[in-house]
Amino acid sequence: MSEFILGIETSCDETAAAVLEKGCIIRSNVVASQVTLHAPYGGIVPELASRRHLENVLPVVIQALRQAEVQLPDLGAISVTAGPGLVGSLLVGTSMAKSLAYALGIPLVAVNHLEGHIRAIFLEHPELTYPYVALVVSGGHTHLYYVPEEYIYRLLGRTRDDAAGEAFDKVAKLLGLGYPGGPAIERAGAGGNPKAIAFPRSYSGNGSLDFSFSGLKTAVLYYLEGLGYKIQRSGETKFLPPELVADIAASFQQAIVEVLTRNVIKAAKAKKARLVILAGGVACNQLLRQHLRKGAEEEGLEVLFPSPSLCTDNAAMVAAAGYRRLLRGERAGLDLNASANLPLC
Ligand code: KG4
Ligand code: ZN
């Protein structure tokens, strides 16, 4: 196999392609964001996402090859996200990957998007050893795994309703902060008081490591209504004073970060894992990083976060995960299908 692998990622609203050399050197990592397309709706519109992927996928692949200074015949393999995600979006990436692999006569490998997120950390810390606990925390997922060895993922807990990123996005919409909500809440909350409002922290009982964030989102809604604000049909609240927005954003962020941190530390202790890995878009959040670092330090654990550009959806992580699977002989056929609910196991 040649030393270059092309990764393709289209599971949600980013069209991404990347070229890795020897499975770990990032030669290019191109992401075409659809944020402005979906921003007016306060969230992703699946039909629009798949149409935009169709327009973007070829130019993005070409750009990734150009930036890497690699030609199509130099590629040794193609790795693509096969799920989970929006099925229409996934199909664009898998069709592109299958066509290229067939035309070039090179191996194709299918990657689970969540494994991609987790493997992002290996691009910056290739020496990592097992076991570890990994939290994938994004717009679609809040999944906590115990990873005793490579390719084994034991689900310890997951959200029972909204994903953490989804809660950030929904609360940002309520506060009129726009989409994506995570960075907007982080910015708005910077000047606020995280203790101003005691929003609920929801911990599942009976030793469960599951999460629940829909109550927190509803608590923000009721808080605004309690102050006499009317929520518009669009889901936004008009004419909120900036100081109030700052306090709500800071207090909401504090609540969500405390819950995530507590469960992750609890999981690492229960599994006697010394290493904790964070992955996914919400792992960009600075307060979450601070809290986890502090919590981990107190327990003598090591905690690692990918750089922000490797936390949010990207194709370098998909190429990295695919490369490892190719090495152990995995191949996908041209009958590869996208799977919206592909489990990680
Ligand atoms: O991993 P990702 O790019 O896509 C999915 O697989 O979902 O994650 C996107 C999510 C969005 O919900 C976004 O609001 C959230 O990650 N996010 C953040 C931050 N940056 C992105 N949440 C909190 N704080 C941030 N700084
Ligand atoms: Zn993702």
Side-chain angles (χ1 to χ4, degrees):
M1 188 170 88
S2 120
E3 57 199 22
F4 297 112
I5 180 167
L6 173 71
I8 299 178
E9 155 63 43
T10 62
S11 66
C12 194
D13 64 335
E14 321 279 14
T15 319
V19 175
L20 292 192
E21 185 179 347
K22 300 192 179 83
C24 60
I25 304 164
I26 302 177
R27 293 285 296 252
S28 63
N29 192 15
V30 177
V31 180
S33 169
Q34 299 185 8
V35 161
T36 50
L37 176 70
H38 301 284
Y41 307 95
I44 295 158
V45 184
E47 181 64 23
L48 294 181
S50 43
R51 283 165 192 257
R52 185 55 65 88
H53 281 306
L54 265 181
E55 291 164 15
N56 283 349
V57 71
L58 191 55
V60 164
V61 166
I62 291 169
Q63 201 184 336
L65 291 169
R66 278 209 188 115
Q67 277 183 18
E69 296 180 354
V70 162
Q71 312 277 329
L72 276 177
D74 300 332
L75 292 177
I78 299 192
S79 172
V80 65
T81 304
L86 302 170
V87 78
S89 293
L90 289 163
L91 279 169
V92 177
T94 52
S95 304
M96 180 75 195
K98 285 195 282 186
S99 318
L100 275 177
Y102 178 68
L104 297 170
I106 57 176
L108 173 69
V109 66
V111 162
N112 183 299
H113 182 74
L114 301 181
E115 184 179 62
H117 271 305
I118 294 172
R119 283 223 72 100
I121 196 75
F122 287 83
L123 286 164
E124 295 172 312
H125 299 274
E127 75 295 345
L128 284 190
T129 53
Y130 296 81
Y132 57 77
V133 162
L135 176 70
V136 184
V137 68
S138 69
H141 297 93
T142 304
H143 282 45
L144 187 55
Y145 291 99
Y146 174 57
V147 190
E149 56 186 274
E150 193 165 10
Y151 312 117
I152 304 215
Y153 298 94
R154 300 222 171 97
L155 186 64
L156 298 175
R158 55 175 295 172
T159 182
R160 293 182 179 176
D161 38 61
D162 293 349
E166 191 180 354
F168 270 100
D169 294 338
K170 287 179 174 171
V171 168
K173 187 171 181 179
L174 273 177
L175 299 177
L177 292 173
Y179 175 84
I185 294 238
E186 189 162 23
R187 277 192 302 274
N193 175 5
K195 294 189 181 145
I197 307 143
F199 288 128
R201 276 78 168 144
S202 150
Y203 297 111
S204 308
N206 294 333
S208 163
L209 290 165
D210 279 351
F211 302 90
S212 166
F213 297 114
S214 72
L216 179 54
K217 170 199 66 192
T218 312
V220 175
L221 177 76
Y222 287 167
Y223 184 78
L224 287 168
E225 287 182 344
L227 294 178
Y229 290 100
K230 294 257 178 299
I231 316 299
Q232 309 288 300
R233 277 171 66 96
S234 64
E236 276 186 49
T237 319
K238 290 256 189 289
F239 313 118
L240 289 173
E243 314 78 56
L244 178 64
V245 171
D247 280 350
I248 295 177
S251 302
F252 162 79
Q253 188 178 227
Q254 183 70 26
I256 212 162
V257 160
E258 280 181 21
V259 172
L260 290 171
T261 303
R262 199 184 99 152
N263 271 14
V264 171
I265 303 282
K266 203 169 143 192
K269 282 169 71 179
K271 290 293 173 189
K272 299 193 170 40
R274 308 306 319 156
L275 174 62
V276 168
I277 288 171
L278 262 278
V282 181
C284 294
N285 188 275
Q286 289 303 323
L287 187 74
L288 178 60
R289 289 178 178 235
Q290 278 165 25
H291 260 251
L292 257 170
R293 280 205 188 97
K294 189 161 170 284
E297 201 177 301
E298 284 165 10
E299 298 295 339
L301 306 170
E302 187 184 5
V303 59
L304 291 172
F305 306 84
S307 300
S309 64
L310 293 172
C311 284
T312 46
D313 285 351
N314 66 88
M317 69 186 197
V318 175
Y323 182 82
R324 298 293 303 178
R325 290 198 170 262
L326 277 167
L327 286 185
R328 67 172 207 163
E330 281 190 34
R331 301 287 184 273
L334 294 178
D335 57 351
L336 171 68
N337 207 353
S339 169
N341 299 312
L342 188 68
L344 178 60
C345 49

